[in-house]
């Protein structure tokens, strides 16, 4: 794709992502993206042959952006507590979404797609399962003697704290949400059995 075309493509994805975080994946149309980006619908169709193609690329982009925002800064750190601390703060920052009007697009898409079989749900499910394995590996580094069941409970609790933070922060406008989530996370890692 020529540089100008690549720049337009990226702009269209950014605009669609902004709309998804506020309105949901299914509610965003090619016409909406075209109007917000100041181009014709036919121009959008040159980049995405259908709404389904746009949605597929959006889900892939959400996963890539989450990885860059949350995992990449943690990756060079020491496995275990140091990485988990950075991952946790990264997840909260991602939910805060300073670069977009809505919260976490992955959580929004997960709620929207949880009972809708198809390729979008499959892609999202696979990415979330991979992320759970990353978290489990980091909890294993923190708790080398823990069995799989105990590690899976820790991952479940971690995800629960992150989800509760998003709910309190974004829906309830709770200004204490980050402090509460951080306290809950510290209790979680402190209570985890150590070697």
């Amino acid at each position: 794709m020529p540089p100008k075309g690549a720049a337009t493509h990226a702009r269209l994805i950014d605009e669609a992502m902004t709309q998804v975080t506020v309105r949901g994946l299914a509610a965003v149309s090619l016409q909406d993206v075209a109007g917000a980006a100041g181009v014709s619908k036919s121009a959008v169709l040159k980049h995405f042959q259908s709404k389904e193609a746009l949605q597929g690329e959006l889900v892939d982009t959400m996963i890539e952006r989450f990885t860059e925002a949350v995992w990449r800064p943690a990756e060079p750190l020491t496995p275990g507590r140091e990485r988990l601390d950075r991952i946790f703060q990264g997840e909260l920052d991602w939910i805060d979404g300073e670069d977009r009007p809505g919260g976490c697009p992955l959580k929004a898409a997960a709620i929207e797609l949880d009972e809708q079989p198809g390729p979008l749900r499959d892609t999202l499910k696979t990415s979330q399962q991979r992320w759970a394995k990353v978290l489990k590996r980091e909890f294993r580094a923190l708790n080398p003697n823990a069995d799989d069941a105990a590690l899976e409970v820790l991952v479940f609790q971690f995800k629960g704290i992150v989800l509760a933070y998003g709910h309190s922060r974004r829906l309830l406008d709770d200004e204490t949400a980050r402090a509460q989530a951080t306290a809950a996370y510290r209790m979680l890692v402190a209570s985890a059995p150590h070697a």
Side-chain angles (χ1 to χ4, degrees):
M1 185 175 297
K4 183 178 179 185
T8 300
H9 192 88
R11 186 165 54 96
L12 294 172
I13 284 288
D14 286 343
E15 183 51 52
M17 186 78 68
T18 296
Q19 292 188 31
V20 166
T21 63
V22 175
R23 298 172 51 210
L25 197 59
V28 176
S29 71
L30 297 175
Q31 186 61 54
D32 294 333
V33 174
V39 299
S40 67
K41 184 177 176 182
S42 62
V44 176
L45 280 167
K46 287 180 183 176
H47 293 271
F48 312 100
Q49 286 66 47
S50 65
K51 180 176 178 176
E52 293 73 24
L54 172 63
Q55 289 175 330
E57 191 163 339
L58 279 170
V59 170
D60 290 342
T61 301
M62 291 175 201
I63 294 165
E64 290 168 15
R65 290 184 182 180
F66 175 86
T67 301
E68 288 303 314
V70 178
W71 172 244
R72 290 291 176 250
E75 188 176 18
L77 303 177
T78 304
R81 180 65 190 265
E82 190 177 4
R83 266 193 194 156
L84 282 168
D85 286 354
R86 183 63 191 93
I87 286 168
F88 180 72
Q89 293 305 317
E91 288 237 31
L92 300 193
D93 291 344
W94 173 257
I95 289 168
D96 287 346
E98 300 295 328
D99 62 333
R100 58 193 181 275
C104 173
L106 288 170
K107 302 285 185 281
I111 292 166
E112 190 174 345
L113 298 172
D114 63 358
E115 296 293 335
Q116 296 183 32
L120 294 177
R121 182 184 187 274
D122 294 345
T123 299
L124 193 56
K125 179 179 176 182
T126 299
S127 79
Q128 293 301 295
Q129 289 170 329
R130 275 195 316 263
W131 184 238
K133 287 179 183 177
V134 169
L135 294 172
K136 185 176 177 182
R137 184 187 67 216
E138 297 309 321
F139 274 111
R140 185 178 299 288
L142 184 65
N143 312 285
N145 296 327
D147 62 22
D148 278 353
L151 294 171
E152 286 163 9
V153 168
L154 291 169
V155 170
F156 188 89
Q157 291 173 318
F158 179 97
K159 291 190 298 184
I161 293 167
V162 170
L163 287 170
Y165 172 72
H167 174 78
S168 294
R169 166 80 170 76
R170 301 209 67 92
L171 178 65
L172 304 179
D173 299 318
D174 184 351
E175 293 182 13
T176 68
R178 193 169 189 115
Q180 290 178 6
T182 300
Y185 165 74
R186 287 180 180 153
M187 288 172 68
L188 174 66
V189 293
S191 68
H194 298 279

